[in-house]
């Protein structure tokens, strides 16, 4: 009788335990990690983004599609940064925490750039000339709703990737030679942005994408029990 009771209790406990979805979340995270930088690498290769108004006038449908790809990149960047930091947290908790605290909000703040693109899009759609569009964009950029997050993005994502590269080398998830390339990849992007050099920007973001792919490969190789703790049974409802 006691054996039957024990088995029944074990069955009820098992029914109250959430499904173990750690592998699904881990594999999804690994796949997402290089997606954001890879999207931005190709977007920057086909336009440096320095003349959004003229680009919209020349190819409205292309710029509409590019804006959607930008949002997909943003969501992937945020998830990828969280996964990368989570991967290395146990080996270097302080550095990983600082890296995540800088890189994650920086990627979230990237959404402010879409506000500026939206202003240019609206200017074209309403028939404003180039001078009026530029004046509107400058006035909007001066406000904190755009200036502050753009500043956070620019400073934060470059600093964050530098720290992420140092973190990857310190935790031995990357060899030194490639870790150094990964660390300076967003500095290359910055130089390419100011210089208006699309192919160099492609190299910068492309190197970031490869680095995130390397970290994603380590995520795939990480056992579920090391990646995160197993789900536990939910407490039974009181009668």
């Amino acid at each position: 009788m006691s054996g039957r009771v024990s088995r029944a209790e074990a069955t009820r406990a098992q029914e109250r335990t959430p499904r173990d979805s750690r592998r699904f979340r881990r594999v999804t995270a690994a796949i997402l990690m290089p997606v954001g930088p890879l999207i931005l690498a190709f977007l920057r290769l086909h336009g440096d983004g320095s003349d959004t108004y003229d680009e919209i006038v020349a190819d409205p449908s292309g710029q509409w599609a590019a804006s959607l790809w930008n949002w997909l990149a943003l969501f992937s960047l945020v998830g990828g940064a969280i996964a990368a930091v989570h991967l290395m947290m146990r080996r270097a908790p302080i550095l990983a925490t600082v890296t995540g605290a800088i890189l994650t909000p920086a990627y979230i703040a990237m959404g402010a750039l879409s506000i500026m693109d939206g202003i240019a899009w609206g200017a074209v759609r309403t028939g404003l000339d180039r001078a009026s569009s530029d004046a509107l964009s400058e006035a909007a950029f001066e406000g904190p709703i755009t200036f502050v997050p753009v500043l956070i993005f620019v400073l934060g994502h470059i600093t964050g990737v530098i720290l992420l590269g140092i973190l990857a080398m310190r935790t031995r998830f990357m060899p030194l030679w490639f870790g150094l390339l990964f660390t300076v990849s967003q500095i290359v992007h910055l130089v390419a942005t100011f210089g208006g050099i699309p192919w160099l920007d492609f190299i910068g973001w492309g190197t970031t994408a490869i680095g995130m792919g390397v970290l994603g490969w380590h995520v795939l190789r990480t056992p579920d029990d090391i990646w995160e703790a197993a789900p536990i049974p939910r407490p039974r409802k009181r009668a």
Side-chain angles (χ1 to χ4, degrees):
M1 183 65 179
S2 61
R4 293 180 180 177
V5 173
S6 298
R7 285 195 295 271
E9 291 178 349
T11 300
R12 286 195 297 269
Q14 185 176 9
E15 290 174 350
R16 294 194 304 271
T17 302
R19 179 177 297 180
D20 190 347
S21 59
R22 289 177 295 170
R23 178 167 298 181
F24 172 77
R25 295 197 302 273
R26 180 170 54 80
V27 172
T28 301
I31 294 173
L32 284 177
M33 288 171 72
V35 169
L38 192 60
I39 290 174
L40 292 178
F42 282 100
L43 288 177
R44 301 292 288 186
L45 181 63
H46 291 90
D48 60 13
S50 61
D51 205 349
T52 305
Y53 182 90
D54 286 348
E55 290 176 353
I56 295 173
V57 172
D59 186 11
S61 60
Q63 289 304 305
W64 189 88
S67 67
L68 294 181
W69 282 110
N70 268 312
W71 280 110
L72 178 59
L74 187 152
F75 297 143
S76 303
L77 287 168
V78 173
I82 293 172
V85 169
H86 180 75
L87 170 68
M88 298 178 280
M89 179 66 72
R90 295 175 66 182
R91 296 192 183 185
I94 296 177
L95 181 56
T97 300
V98 173
T99 302
I102 293 175
L103 188 57
T104 305
Y107 280 149
I108 294 174
M110 192 181 88
L113 295 177
S114 295
I115 297 177
M116 303 305 299
D117 291 342
I119 291 171
W121 178 270
V124 172
R125 296 284 291 179
T126 55
L128 292 181
D129 57 25
R130 177 59 185 269
S132 299
S133 175
D134 288 347
L136 180 62
S137 296
E138 291 176 4
F141 185 71
E142 291 174 357
I145 196 172
T146 50
F147 176 77
V148 173
V150 168
L151 182 63
I152 291 173
F153 167 68
V154 172
L155 297 178
H157 87 283
I158 294 174
T159 304
V161 172
I162 291 173
L163 292 176
L164 193 63
I166 295 172
L167 180 62
M169 291 185 288
R170 182 175 177 181
T171 54
R172 303 295 190 269
F173 280 110
M174 282 185 189
L176 179 61
W177 67 271
F178 184 74
L180 292 174
L181 292 177
F182 180 59
T183 299
V184 301
S185 62
Q186 286 304 294
I187 297 178
V188 173
H189 152 65
L190 183 64
V191 172
T193 299
F194 282 109
I197 313 173
W199 63 266
L200 184 61
D201 215 350
F202 177 80
I203 292 175
W205 275 111
T207 304
T208 302
I210 295 173
M212 294 300 288
V214 170
L215 295 176
W217 179 73
H218 285 291
V219 170
L220 288 175
R221 296 178 67 244
T222 302
D224 289 338
D225 289 333
I226 294 179
W227 178 248
E228 61 181 283
I232 60 176
R234 293 186 293 268
R236 293 185 61 183
K237 293 183 179 179
R238 294 182 179 180

